């Protein structure tokens, strides 16, 4: 009998390890020959720990399992799954069934550390095709797919690859950005834990495409599970000839290693990340030169987000057209969207671009976890805008969000109910910027600290109108005077909160003390 | 790692040697020292600088840049509590005072553990905790204080 207990950090955080141990004990006590697979998460975190049993009908699930449920579950497996925690056939769960999983096709299904299962479910086809068609056509395939960077900026991945491919150099690098610091995001983490060979394959294809023979995955230190999973998978990949002097027996060599961050949000910014790998303070570099030409250790370097690289094997295996057929406008393919915060069905929802914010939050997410009305959603992490439900018609699309003074970023959506105080969230945005600023430019370093003070005065009801004007000024200065998006985009959450929820900022006015004249 | 400066030059040198050959060896070395000693002792800075042919100021500059690297050991076990937006939306503000009031542990604010649909979330060492309510927070405090977490 095969049983599945997710080894994903979000499952472990709610007791999956203890459940796995209990299942093992119970199986032994019953004399059942059970294999317990620590799969990735299916991404429906409300149900974790979601354990599954393989049956003739398919995989049946039991949600929110605790160690003392285990005996009953063994009885239920032989008895048509009759159990209070039973959720039936996992594939039929609406949240999962509605998705279009290209990147997360295997996550939650396979044993993430089994390269045989990886291959059996379509793995390595992309790399095999890249080897067959060669570097230049591989780059063009990625260009044609329309894939845009999933790390935040949405820059066309293929164009970046072309630039690096055209740069003559004895040594080039592939750097995978797995710093995933945005609140409300966890797709990179899930993928590294749930299907690590996919990322390895994507990086190997990138290496082949631009002529790079070495890669680094920069993973934040807050992700110990992902670090372990990637390290193990890299070892396995080397043993199986998927990495090393020769990629799958071809003339192309590629190897890689994991580098661990040290708790600095700004190191997710690509040039800061390079500084960090090189062993310096994670201060942002001015561009140009582009990292694609002068990157890591001064060499041409592609820096891509985990999800960008993980989309590539599908594109190579199935063809650019198959990927580009999904999506809308200039947003092609699918996006692994992350539903987080105060939401009933939180988790990973991969779907084609074009779905509306309202469908995501209300229909798929099921509204708030608290049961109270949704008041605000923040899209795109701590540098993303806040939107009220009146803007739920917005389609998930880079351009549509930009037009609405927002951004998609790494596709995290954080939901808040009506107990949220948006003036405090604006203050928090400034606080976060102050805490994480690399210190290189004054508008970001000093402006954010000033922002906290000014918003404190607004919240306290001191000269509200004058101080709100100051906030707007400060935001202008930060927006145009910052070197990177940390200082430059902090105005998004601040000004969107003020624009869409002014009442929270004006509350202090009632208590306002006459300014001394 | 409760209080005493438990480190020796020997151990530090071993750690440094293990990574010194790598490109960009400084951060892996500092992370390893932090993991072994609970901080990066001021006394190892010159040793690291010498091994990597850097100035002390450069090494010190890196140590002070990263939130994970501490210049002094913590006298109490640390709970890293996520205070970022998604955990705020899920009520970390309600349990934070409970954790902060307990003097046996030290609560450190972090921003996001990638558990944003399972918050409020916390981390102790490499162990992660989600859906923390009052009871969960109390359990976590006790286990951490007894240093019983993994
Ligand atoms: C402050 C800041 C933090 C960032 N954090 C991340 C991150 O955690 N992960 C990421 O992939 N990109 C992050 N980015 C964007 C990167 O600079 C860069 O655009 C991205 O890694 C490029 O890869 P892509 O084209 O595949 O998206 C961040 C940018 C800024 C300004
Ligand atoms: S905007 Fe802030 S984080 Fe970005 S380079 Fe300037 S000081 Fe550093
Ligand atoms: S916001 Fe707390 S874990 Fe992401």
């Amino acid at each position: 009998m095969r049983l599945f207990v997710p080894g994903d950090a979000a499952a472990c955080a709610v007791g999956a390890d203890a459940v796995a141990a209990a299942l093992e004990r119970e199986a032994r006590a019953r004399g059942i020959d059970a294999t317990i697979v620590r799969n990735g998460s299916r991404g429906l975190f409300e149900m974790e720990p979601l354990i599954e049993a393989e049956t003739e009908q398919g995989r049946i699930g039991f949600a929110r399992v605790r160690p003392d449920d285990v005996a009953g579950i063994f009885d239920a497996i032989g008895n048509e799954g009759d159990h209070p925690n039973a959720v039936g056939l996992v594939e039929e769960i609406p949240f999962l069934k509605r998705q279009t999983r290209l990147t997360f096709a295997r996550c939650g299904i396979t044993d993430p550390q089994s390269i045989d299962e990886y291959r059996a479910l379509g793995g390595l086809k992309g790399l095999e095709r890249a080897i067959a068609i060669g570097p230049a056509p591989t780059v063009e395939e990625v260009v044609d797919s329309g894939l845009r960077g999933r790390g935040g900026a949405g820059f066309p991945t293929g164009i970046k690859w072309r630039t690096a491919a055209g740069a003559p150099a004895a040594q080039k690098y592939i750097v995978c950005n797995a710093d995933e610091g945005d609140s409300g995001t966890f797709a990179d983490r899930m993928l590294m834990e749930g299907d690590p060979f996919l990322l390895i394959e994507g990086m190997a294809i990138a290496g082949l495409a631009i002529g790079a023979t070495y890669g680094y995955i920069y993973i934040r230190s807050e992700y110990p599970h992902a670090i372990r999973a990637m390290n193990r998978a890299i070892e396995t990949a080397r043993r199986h000839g998927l990495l090393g002097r020769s990629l799958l027996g071809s003339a192309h060599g590629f190897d890689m290693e994991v580098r661990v961050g040290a708790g600095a949000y700004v190191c997710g910014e690509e040039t800061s990340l390079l500084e960090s790998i090189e062993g310096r303070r994670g201060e942002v570099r001015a561009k140009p030169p582009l990292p694609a030409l002068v990157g890591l250790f001064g060499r041409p370097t592609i820096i891509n987000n985990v999800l960008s690289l993980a989309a590539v094997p599908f594109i190579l295996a199935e063809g650019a057209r198959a990927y580009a057929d999904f999506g809308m406008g200039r947003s092609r393919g699918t996006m692994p969207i992350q539903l987080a915060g105060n939401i009933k069905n939180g988790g990973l929802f991969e779907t084609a671009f074009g779905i509306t914010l309202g469908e995501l939050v209300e229909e798929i997410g099921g509204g708030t976890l608290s049961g109270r009305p949704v008041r605000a959603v923040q899209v795109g992490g701590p540098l993303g805008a806040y939107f009220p439900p009146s803007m739920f018609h917005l389609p998930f699309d880079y351009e549509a969000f930009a037009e609405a003074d927002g951004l998609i970023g790494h596709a995290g959506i954080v939901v808040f109910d009506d107990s949220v105080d948006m003036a405090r969230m604006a203050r928090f945005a400034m606080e976060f910027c102050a805490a994480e600023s690399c210190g290189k430019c004054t508008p970001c370093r000093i402006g954010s600290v000033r922002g906290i003070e000014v918003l404190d005065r607004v919240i306290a009801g001191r000269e509200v109108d004058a101080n709100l004007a100051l906030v707007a000024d400060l935001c202008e200065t930060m927006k145009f005077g910052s070197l990177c998006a940390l200082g430059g985009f902090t105005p998004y959450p601040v000004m969107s909160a003020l624009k869409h929820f002014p009442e929270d900022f004006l509350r202090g006015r009632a208590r306002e003390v006459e300014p001394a004249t | 790692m409760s209080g005493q400066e438990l480190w020796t030059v020997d151990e530090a040198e071993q750690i440094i040697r293990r990574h010194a050959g790598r490109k960009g060896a400084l951060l892996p070395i500092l992370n390893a020292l932090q993991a072994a000693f609970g901080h990066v002792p001021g006394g190892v800075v010159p040793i690291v600088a010498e091994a990597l042919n850097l100035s002390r100021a450069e090494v010190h500059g890196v140590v002070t840049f990263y939130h994970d690297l501490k210049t002094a050991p913590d006298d109490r076990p640390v709970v890293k509590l996520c205070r970022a937006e998604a955990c705020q939306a899920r009520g970390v503000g309600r349990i934070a005072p409970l954790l902060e009031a307990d003097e046996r542990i030290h609560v450190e604010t972090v921003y996001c553990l990638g558990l944003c649909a399972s918050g409020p979330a916390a981390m102790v060492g490499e162990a992660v905790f989600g859906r923390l309510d009052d009871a969960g927070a109390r359990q976590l405090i006790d286990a951490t204080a007894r240093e019983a977490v993994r």
Side-chain angles (χ1 to χ4, degrees), chain A residues 265-266 269 271-272 282-286 433 436-446 448 478 481-490, chain B residues 65:
Chain A
Y265 175 77
V266 72
E269 195 284 332
T271 60
S272 162
E283 281 171 7
V284 174
R285 295 180 189 167
C433 181
E436 300 298 334
S437 169
C438 85
K440 197 154 177 170
C441 19
T442 318
C444 170
R445 188 183 68 241
I446 310 287
S448 54
M478 288 174 74
S482 298
L483 186 56
C484 86
L486 183 47
F489 286 10
T490 292
Chain B
F65 183 84

Side-chain angles (χ1 to χ4, degrees), chain B residues 34-134:
Chain B
Q34 171 71 37
F37 306 140
H39 70 305
V40 181
V44 307
V45 168
I47 309 176
V48 174
E50 162 104 37
L52 298 184
N53 210 3
L54 298 167
S55 73
R56 290 179 192 196
E58 279 172 291
V59 176
H60 179 75
V62 172
V63 173
T64 52
F65 183 84
Y66 294 95
H67 299 306
D68 285 357
L69 304 175
K70 317 284 182 198
T71 50
D74 231 299
D75 54 352
R76 293 167 289 168
V78 176
V79 173
K80 292 185 175 174
L81 183 66
C82 174
R83 308 294 298 258
E85 291 90 340
C87 283
Q88 291 182 38
R90 293 179 69 95
V92 66
R94 284 197 299 273
I95 60 155
L98 211 74
L99 286 138
E100 276 158 354
D102 201 296
E103 299 195 335
R104 294 171 298 166
I105 60 163
H106 176 74
V107 181
E108 190 181 312
T109 292
V110 293
Y111 298 118
C112 197
L113 296 167
L115 306 170
C116 328
S118 322
M123 183 155 129
V124 177
E126 296 199 341
V128 287
F129 303 86
R131 291 190 206 134
L132 288 169
D133 52 11
D134 282 8

Side-chain angles (χ1 to χ4, degrees), chain A residues 221 228 257 259 280-281, chain B residues 22-23 61 66 68 126:
Chain A
S221 62
R228 273 196 297 273
E257 67 177 89
R259 282 295 165 101
R280 281 191 291 274
R281 296 162 66 87
Chain B
R22 301 167 77 177
K23 284 183 97 115
Y66 294 95
D68 285 357
E126 296 199 341

Side-chain angles (χ1 to χ4, degrees), chain A residues 9-157:
Chain A
C12 295
V14 291
D17 289 337
V19 171
L23 279 171
E24 198 131 0
R25 271 196 308 275
E26 187 67 23
R28 213 176 307 124
R30 292 180 181 230
I32 296 174
D33 182 19
T35 308
I36 295 171
V37 178
R38 300 305 299 269
N39 56 336
S41 173
R42 298 271 190 167
L44 181 42
F45 292 123
E46 245 347 85
M47 288 197 181
E48 294 292 359
L50 172 64
I51 73 167
E52 297 174 42
E54 222 163 39
T55 70
E56 276 165 19
Q57 293 77 44
R59 276 160 68 162
I60 55 171
F62 301 87
R64 285 206 173 221
V65 174
R66 291 184 316 185
D68 47 10
D69 297 324
V70 157
I73 285 173
F74 270 103
D75 295 337
I77 293 170
N79 188 19
E80 295 179 341
D82 184 25
H83 190 275
N85 296 59
V87 294
L89 287 171
V90 175
E91 319 254 282
E92 295 299 318
I93 296 172
F95 183 92
L96 298 175
K97 207 172 177 182
R98 271 188 79 165
Q99 302 193 33
T100 304
R101 287 199 164 188
L102 307 184
T103 299
F104 280 79
R106 272 173 301 263
C107 188
I109 295 174
T110 51
D111 175 349
Q113 295 292 339
S114 163
I115 203 164
D116 295 333
E117 285 190 28
Y118 181 68
R119 228 187 232 282
L121 276 166
L124 300 183
K125 276 200 198 136
L127 180 57
E128 281 163 359
R129 172 134 184 277
I131 291 168
I133 65 179
T138 297
V139 171
E140 292 318 305
E141 198 76 44
V142 176
V143 173
D144 293 343
S145 74
L147 175 67
R148 293 167 71 174
R150 304 299 191 223
F155 187 83
T157 303

Side-chain angles (χ1 to χ4, degrees), chain A residues 149-151 160 177 179-181 265 268-270 303-305 308 485:
Chain A
R150 304 299 191 223
K160 191 187 280 188
N177 189 340
D179 201 47
E180 196 167 61
Y265 175 77
E269 195 284 332
E270 56 188 11
I303 307 168
N304 272 133
N305 175 252
S308 314

